[in-house]
Amino acid sequence: MRSSDYRFPPGLKYNLIWYAFRKFRPADPIALFQYLVDEFGDVVHYKIGPKHIVFLNDPALIREVLVVQNDNFTKERTVRRTKMLLGEGMITSEGSVHRAQRQAAQPAFHRQRIQHYADTVVEETLRTCDSWRDGQQLDIAQEMMHLTLRIVARTLFNTELGDEVRELADAINRIMRLYNYLVALPAVETLIHMRVPGLAGFTPAKQKLDAIVARMIENHRKSGRDNGDLLDMMLQAPETSSDEVLRDQVITIFLAGFETVANALIWTWYLLSENPDPETKLTSEIEGLLGARRPTAEDVPQLKYTEMVFAESMRLYPPAWAMGRQAREDFDLGPYRLPAGTTILASQFITQRDARHFVDPLKFNPERFAAAGKATFPKFSYFPFGAGYRQCIGEALAWMEGSLVLAAIARTWRLRLVPGHPVQPQALITLRSKFGMQMRLEKKESQVRQRSA
């Protein structure tokens, strides 16, 4: 088809390679996306070199790409770059390989299996709480990362990390800090092996991750026991039992399983610290339901406001802040005709803060996720776990884990942002807090009295 036969949306006249460096910090894609929407509307076209990019902020068109025309799209270049770390895991694989991997893992995320994980989630959360002291100041970002690492290791892989949790978190943090290099530099797959400045930390950090994952796999094989966890399921499935495929699957699910929930919790504690009324309502629900006992799986359906708090936190600060697809063939999108190879981008961070869908969108208002509130906004205006065939396989587990961790901590502790601590979202693989989250711990008076009685 001739280029004149295509119809592109409005957008930048200049190539983004020049325009972005002139107008934006390259490491701030969210600011770029917001500018594009403000300047050109809900469907925006631009180019990076010869490549066509279309940014969407229209829920109906986001659905069109993720659901209706899903078969015409693969993961885009940024995700493919993460194969340097993840290999051919469930996030990066395509077609029949992805379907086989997902089928092998699916039983581990069945509703009944997820309920079985609840005790472990609560045990690990209370273990974290027992290490805290009244009046202590700490980085809650680091605490939530370590907590969710231990949870995913025990629930999905029946592995106790012990002291390795800090080594693992440090290795992951080193890789995360290299994210912008990994996705932007040409020929980065070659450069990382040459130990060029700025990339030298990638290889040793990846080797640390690989070594921990290899130990987990080897220990499972040697034990000869079937514990019914995800790793056992993959060891038994022909499609995922080879060393290479196992490594890729385990590291993908391991990283995805802890990173997203940790960041959702970090932003939730920040928002509760800054919004006393929702925090009071959260505390009232938890204390009224639990009293002095620990939460259980049976409590999750009753923690309605707790879930609303978690949902609203992920609206304002979605851990998966953007997603992309690349077209296999020419396609129509609304009134536009676009060529094969076009990259489609959408941003949960942008769409979920749109005032047309959410009244007073920058306000932290958990009540908007009550049944009546959810009926007021389009389905694809809120998609923190993606949508369509490749919707996050661990979504139900994340909702359960988030509610139980919030309940287990908030029944005993208040977390207060340290005055003057800078809070800035950082769009890496997930939406992290650039400077961590320094908070002061306050033990609730009822708990202090119980300890002294």
Side-chain angles (χ1 to χ4, degrees):
M1 183 177 287
R2 297 170 302 175
S3 59
S4 59
D5 293 330
Y6 297 115
R7 185 182 180 197
F8 294 98
L12 296 177
K13 296 179 180 179
Y14 306 102
N15 197 291
L16 188 65
I17 291 176
W18 172 83
Y19 195 77
F21 278 83
R22 177 176 178 268
K23 196 170 182 66
F24 300 99
R25 291 183 295 120
D28 193 0
I30 289 176
L32 168 65
F33 292 159
Q34 189 64 62
Y35 168 79
L36 294 174
V37 169
D38 293 343
E39 192 73 14
F40 301 105
D42 287 338
V43 188
V44 187
H45 172 254
Y46 60 95
K47 294 183 75 174
I48 297 179
K51 302 294 185 182
H52 294 285
I53 316 290
V54 173
F55 181 78
L56 299 180
N57 188 42
D58 181 324
L61 294 183
I62 292 171
R63 177 182 180 275
E64 181 74 18
V65 171
L66 297 181
V67 178
V68 179
Q69 298 191 44
N70 172 68
D71 289 345
N72 188 40
F73 290 93
T74 63
K75 291 295 185 82
E76 49 83 37
R77 184 191 66 88
T78 300
V79 176
R80 294 198 298 270
R81 280 286 182 93
T82 63
K83 288 185 180 184
M84 290 181 288
L85 173 64
L86 303 179
E88 289 287 342
M90 203 181 304
I91 290 176
T92 56
S93 62
E94 299 284 356
S96 60
V97 174
H98 175 264
R99 286 191 292 272
Q101 291 175 344
R102 192 174 179 103
Q103 185 176 2
Q106 192 70 55
F109 298 96
H110 188 274
R111 180 175 57 84
Q112 291 179 339
R113 189 69 192 171
I114 289 172
Q115 291 178 334
H116 179 72
Y117 301 146
D119 287 345
T120 300
V121 172
V122 174
E123 286 172 13
E124 288 296 342
T125 304
L126 295 180
R127 176 180 165 190
T128 294
C129 290
D130 287 343
S131 71
W132 292 352
R133 298 293 177 266
D134 190 25
Q136 182 181 8
Q137 179 179 314
L138 48 72
D139 183 2
I140 205 67
Q142 178 176 284
E143 293 292 297
M144 293 300 102
M145 291 287 178
H146 291 177
L147 170 59
T148 55
L149 273 171
R150 294 197 305 269
I151 288 173
V152 75
R154 284 190 60 192
T155 56
L156 297 182
F157 303 110
N158 195 35
T159 297
E160 293 276 0
L161 284 176
D163 292 339
E164 279 184 321
V165 70
R166 296 186 183 276
E167 297 178 43
L168 188 55
D170 289 344
I172 293 167
N173 288 335
R174 289 200 299 274
I175 291 172
M176 287 291 180
R177 287 193 288 268
L178 299 174
Y179 174 75
N180 292 313
Y181 293 101
L182 298 177
V183 301
L185 286 179
V188 70
E189 292 90 345
T190 301
L191 294 175
I192 59 174
H193 297 296
M194 297 171 63
R195 304 293 183 93
V196 299
L199 292 174
F202 179 84
T203 298
K206 180 177 178 293
Q207 289 172 342
K208 171 59 69 174
L209 289 177
D210 286 347
I212 293 174
V213 168
R215 178 183 66 81
M216 290 166 55
I217 295 171
E218 183 62 22
N219 287 346
H220 265 65
R221 281 185 166 145
K222 285 182 176 179
S223 73
R225 297 191 305 271
D226 183 358
N227 299 297
D229 58 70
L230 176 59
L231 187 48
D232 285 322
M233 294 174 191
M234 291 191 292
L235 281 165
Q236 294 168 15
E239 301 87 353
T240 57
S241 59
S242 70
D243 287 346
E244 184 177 359
V245 174
L246 267 176
R247 179 265 174 207
D248 294 349
Q249 275 287 77
V250 170
I251 203 165
T252 294
I253 295 173
F254 200 90
L255 294 182
F258 100 90
E259 176 81 15
T260 52
V261 177
N263 280 298
L265 288 166
I266 292 160
W267 291 113
T268 302
W269 293 123
Y270 162 69
L271 289 165
L272 289 170
S273 175
E274 299 297 289
N275 295 272
D277 287 345
E279 185 192 41
T280 298
K281 292 178 181 178
L282 175 74
T283 299
S284 178
E285 174 179 84
I286 293 169
E287 291 181 348
L289 178 65
L290 301 179
R293 67 176 176 83
R294 63 172 61 186
T296 67
E298 289 71 28
D299 294 317
V300 173
Q302 306 304 316
L303 292 167
K304 298 184 184 300
Y305 191 79
T306 305
E307 182 181 291
M308 289 156 59
V309 165
F310 199 52
E312 175 71 341
S313 172
M314 287 191 288
R315 183 188 69 82
L316 286 167
Y317 295 99
W321 57 275
M323 60 192 308
R325 299 288 188 269
Q326 188 172 59
R328 302 174 188 267
E329 307 289 344
D330 293 357
F331 66 106
D332 295 314
L333 190 63
Y336 306 108
R337 181 67 178 171
L338 301 167
T342 296
T343 293
I344 300 292
L345 298 177
S347 171
Q348 291 94 324
F349 190 96
I350 301 297
T351 303
Q352 293 176 183
R353 290 171 170 235
D354 194 315
R356 293 170 298 177
H357 313 313
F358 302 97
V359 177
D360 200 359
L362 301 185
K363 180 181 179 181
F364 180 60
N365 177 21
E367 277 84 358
R368 72 173 88 241
F369 283 93
K374 286 191 288 187
T376 65
F377 50 84
K379 181 178 179 181
F380 282 77
S381 62
Y382 181 76
F383 52 112
F385 293 94
Y389 176 66
R390 300 196 68 135
Q391 186 164 340
C392 176
I393 192 173
E395 177 178 356
L397 175 56
W399 283 111
M400 182 274 289
E401 183 178 346
S403 292
L404 287 177
V405 170
L406 288 173
I409 293 178
R411 63 190 276 272
T412 307
W413 297 93
R414 292 187 184 91
L415 280 60
R416 291 288 178 265
L417 186 70
V418 172
H421 178 73
V423 177
Q424 180 180 328
Q426 186 177 30
L428 301 175
I429 296 177
T430 57
L431 190 71
R432 286 193 161 201
S433 177
K434 184 174 183 178
F435 304 104
M437 196 67 70
Q438 288 291 327
M439 306 194 87
R440 187 181 69 256
L441 305 175
E442 296 180 358
K443 176 153 283 192
K444 294 182 177 178
E445 291 183 9
S446 58
Q447 298 294 324
V448 173
R449 287 197 299 271
Q450 288 176 18
R451 285 288 179 92
S452 60

